[in-house]
Amino acid sequence: MPVQLYQNLILYPKATAQMAKTILAPFTHARNFISAAAFAAANGFVPFGNTKDVKRAFDALQLKGFRKDNEFYQELLELGVVNSQVQVRQVMDLMEDVKFGEVLNKVGADYNGFNTFMKGLKKTQKFAQDAYTAEDDFWKIFTYLGEKSKMYNAYRNAGLRDGQEFIDPKGVKRIFGENEEWLKEASADLVKNNVPNYAYVSEFIKGLRKLPVGNFVAFPAEIMRTGTNIVSSALDEIFYTTTINGKQVNPLRSRGIQRLMGMGLTTTALPLGTVAAAQAIYDVSKDELDAMRRYVPQWSKNSTLVPFKDEEGKLSYVDFSHLNAYDTLTRPIQTVLNAVNEGRTDKDGIMDDFLLGLIESTTEIGAPFFTEAIWTEALQDVAPVLGRSGMTAEGRKIWNDKDSPGAKMSKAIAHLVEAQAPLNWKQLGRLGLAMYPINSEGKFDERGNEYELGNELAGIAGLRRVDVDPQKSIRYKINQFQKGIRDSRQLFTSATLKGGPITPEEIVDAYINANRATFEVNRELFKDAEAARLLGMGEGQLEESMEARGAGTAY
């Protein structure tokens, strides 16, 4: 019984929440397809750069309207190239763990309407699941075709001709030829090892899906694995030598450098270059960019933020990290690029530097493993005693403490429903509001926010500009300040009022510790206030916000 309760109250809602935010979210499909282009780019291919490969990849997709080259798709399936989308496979494994919520489904088994609804939902889910997989398959097929072509051409350019023998990078004697099985297998291996693939996720990582924490833990694990493999593959290609026509040559060196440069451009040059260009165009200083970072949501704190400034000087940003799957690998990739540019030839030493940089970035990469799952977080927000009792992890109140029990229950249920809501319903709501005529009452939401149609449409591709509004956000900063002051005082009282004997040294240590914590809390509020001023918040507005929330002039 406890196992069934855990499966149906934690794991099943966890799976359906993840499904709702990915497979059943149409705008997420668009971002999935666009962001997956980074996998090809990171391996040195220009997305859509070869129209012949683009057409062949589309023809092989297993979706209605495509399926023009099923024989080729079956070949790719046997090679292990396709049908290995990480998020879809992880969600479906979790659904299988809970037997697709069979206990909950039995509750409505006697109702024809419920059964009809479930059948319709499964059809919708199946189509959306196939589409999500196809979006991933397209880039894997495109990359496979590119790898095969570039490898063949690299050997030809080095002097090899069809029918000649040579030693491949694994030390195996091969017969050169465009249609040789080894060429297909070698190209497939590069895709399987350098593009996220659920078949290569360890059983330990797969097993983490059964915990109440973690969202799509297999994906960051694959980013780490494939990111490392791209660098390793590039170095193997750069340092690989063989004998062709009696001469010792490096046939794949140019390909290795191209792969390494692709990874560098994807993880570093493109995002940082985009930020620098936006700063120059919109005249945004580094201080303004740093100040803005203090007023973005927690999930964007360490993202690559592309800044914008309107004619009135108001700042906004696009979170570029949403489109860059390899964003967290920026530092280690730059380390390898610098080493190769400096002419270093010690492959093992370069890989050591890369792995060290990767370890330094594990705080960001590891977040999906250890943070609460979507459903678990929502439960924690509304749960009394052991939960946050009506407050989100970011400090936003779900209900007012003076609300009636019925109102609190209603708002708690609404919050849980929101965690399960499919179809990008929030974004659809903003898009609907943006379609109202200018100055129409219906154009504003309940908080008075107005939305632009062009910006909301850009959001479908993950390029929605978000306004930075310190006047609204300062309230949460003050709440954090007040909580920090209370916690700092408790450091002293908990140490000195615990009962029993206490030495003068312990009192002094507790006093020093409490004051240290108080200083840090005050320093953070001071930085927040300075950032608000830099972002255009007036002195009077700042003082009014402080006094209204009981912070006085602490800043």
Side-chain angles (χ1 to χ4, degrees), residues 346-518:
D346 55 326
K347 176 193 168 188
D348 291 340
I350 295 174
M351 280 303 298
D352 288 344
D353 290 345
F354 171 78
L355 292 172
L356 183 61
L358 190 62
I359 290 169
E360 290 177 4
S361 65
T362 52
T363 300
E364 291 295 315
I365 296 175
F369 292 86
F370 309 116
T371 53
E372 296 161 311
I374 298 169
W375 173 253
T376 310
E377 182 177 12
L379 278 178
Q380 278 282 87
D381 293 341
V382 301
V385 186
L386 297 178
R388 287 181 281 268
S389 299
M391 185 175 290
T392 67
E394 291 78 35
R396 179 177 65 84
K397 284 195 171 185
I398 298 168
W399 59 71
N400 190 297
D401 292 337
K402 300 299 182 183
D403 275 338
S404 66
K408 289 180 180 179
M409 177 61 71
S410 176
K411 292 176 181 178
I413 292 172
H415 185 66
L416 293 174
V417 169
E418 182 180 329
Q420 294 283 349
L423 304 177
N424 301 102
W425 73 273
K426 279 190 175 181
Q427 192 168 351
L428 280 173
R430 292 195 302 265
L431 196 58
L433 291 172
M435 291 180 181
Y436 278 90
I438 297 174
N439 298 325
S440 168
E441 288 185 8
K443 198 173 183 66
F444 300 88
D445 65 13
E446 70 276 6
R447 296 185 179 181
N449 295 315
E450 186 178 7
Y451 302 100
E452 297 177 3
L453 182 58
N455 190 35
E456 295 308 317
L457 289 174
I460 295 174
L463 295 172
R464 180 173 178 266
R465 283 164 60 167
V466 182
D467 290 333
V468 180
D469 192 347
Q471 192 167 352
K472 288 184 178 180
S473 302
I474 194 70
R475 293 175 296 178
Y476 302 113
K477 301 291 186 182
I478 296 170
N479 286 341
Q480 290 173 345
F481 164 77
Q482 292 170 328
K483 181 179 184 301
I485 290 296
R486 290 194 297 270
D487 291 343
S488 299
R489 289 170 180 165
Q490 286 178 3
L491 288 175
F492 181 75
T493 56
S494 61
T496 57
L497 301 178
K498 61 184 179 181
I502 182 170
T503 66
E505 289 80 6
E506 288 177 312
I507 295 174
V508 171
D509 288 343
Y511 179 78
I512 292 172
N513 192 30
N515 274 276
R516 174 200 55 77
T518 302

Side-chain angles (χ1 to χ4, degrees), residues 5-316:
L5 280 175
Y6 180 72
Q7 286 183 339
N8 288 282
L9 295 181
I10 299 295
L11 290 190
Y12 185 57
K14 176 184 178 181
T16 53
Q18 291 180 344
M19 183 183 292
K21 305 306 180 187
T22 53
I23 298 170
L24 298 179
F27 297 158
T28 306
H29 280 262
R31 288 193 287 270
N32 176 48
F33 182 71
I34 294 169
S35 62
F39 302 141
N43 280 284
F45 300 104
V46 177
F48 300 109
N50 187 314
T51 55
K52 182 180 176 182
D53 289 350
V54 168
K55 183 180 184 305
R56 195 167 186 203
F58 272 125
D59 286 346
L61 297 181
Q62 298 299 290
L63 273 178
K64 188 176 181 180
F66 299 93
R67 297 176 183 163
K68 297 177 181 178
D69 198 347
N70 288 335
E71 185 178 343
F72 180 45
Y73 190 85
Q74 289 302 315
E75 179 183 317
L76 293 171
L77 203 56
E78 291 177 10
L79 288 168
V81 172
V82 293
N83 196 27
S84 55
Q85 210 283 339
V86 177
Q87 291 99 321
V88 168
R89 295 288 294 276
Q90 183 176 343
V91 169
M92 299 318 296
D93 274 2
L94 187 53
M95 290 293 283
E96 288 178 12
D97 290 339
V98 296
K99 299 177 182 177
F100 290 84
E102 65 175 18
V103 174
L104 292 181
N105 292 340
K106 284 177 182 177
V107 173
D110 296 330
Y111 297 95
N112 291 330
F114 182 84
N115 288 334
T116 302
F117 170 76
M118 289 304 296
K119 286 179 182 177
L121 184 63
K122 284 183 178 178
K123 287 181 180 179
T124 302
Q125 174 254 310
K126 179 67 168 61
F127 174 79
Q129 178 184 328
D130 289 345
Y132 216 83
T133 301
E135 293 148 16
D136 183 68
D137 281 349
F138 170 82
W139 290 111
K140 286 179 176 172
I141 299 170
F142 178 81
T143 304
Y144 166 81
L145 292 170
E147 295 286 7
K148 187 167 173 284
S149 175
K150 285 187 179 295
M151 192 182 304
Y152 178 77
N153 290 332
Y155 281 116
R156 277 194 66 85
N157 292 337
L160 264 181
R161 294 295 177 265
D162 289 1
Q164 288 185 316
E165 290 186 349
F166 75 104
I167 304 298
D168 75 0
K170 294 180 179 179
V172 179
K173 184 182 289 186
R174 301 290 189 185
I175 303 295
F176 185 66
E178 187 174 6
N179 296 313
E180 292 291 333
E181 285 302 313
W182 71 266
L183 184 59
K184 295 177 182 179
E185 291 172 2
S187 302
D189 285 344
L190 284 168
V191 175
K192 289 186 288 187
N193 286 309
N194 295 354
V195 179
N197 187 315
Y198 193 68
Y200 286 78
V201 178
S202 71
E203 291 303 316
F204 171 74
I205 296 296
K206 287 179 181 178
L208 294 179
R209 68 179 181 270
K210 298 180 182 179
L211 297 178
V213 296
N215 292 302
F216 303 111
V217 296
F219 186 71
E222 275 300 276
I223 289 297
M224 294 172 71
R225 182 186 73 87
T226 57
T228 302
N229 284 345
I230 288 173
V231 176
S232 181
S233 296
L235 294 176
D236 284 341
E237 290 163 337
I238 289 170
F239 298 121
Y240 159 65
T241 61
T242 190
T243 302
I244 295 178
N245 298 325
K247 293 174 59 178
Q248 194 81 358
V249 295
N250 298 85
L252 301 179
R253 179 175 175 81
S254 294
R255 176 69 188 113
I257 292 174
Q258 184 183 52
R259 191 186 305 277
L260 199 56
M261 290 301 294
M263 189 60 162
L265 286 169
T266 304
T267 60
T268 307
L270 179 60
L272 297 185
T274 304
V275 172
Q279 282 186 266
I281 293 170
Y282 294 98
D283 191 25
V284 178
S285 68
K286 183 180 182 302
D287 288 341
E288 287 177 310
L289 196 60
D290 292 340
M292 183 175 71
R293 201 172 284 278
R294 296 190 73 87
Y295 283 91
V296 301
Q298 189 63 38
W299 56 82
S300 292
K301 288 289 184 187
N302 296 316
S303 294
T304 301
L305 304 180
V306 181
F308 299 86
K309 186 189 289 184
D310 64 18
E311 294 177 356
E312 298 176 358
K314 188 173 182 179
L315 285 165
S316 59

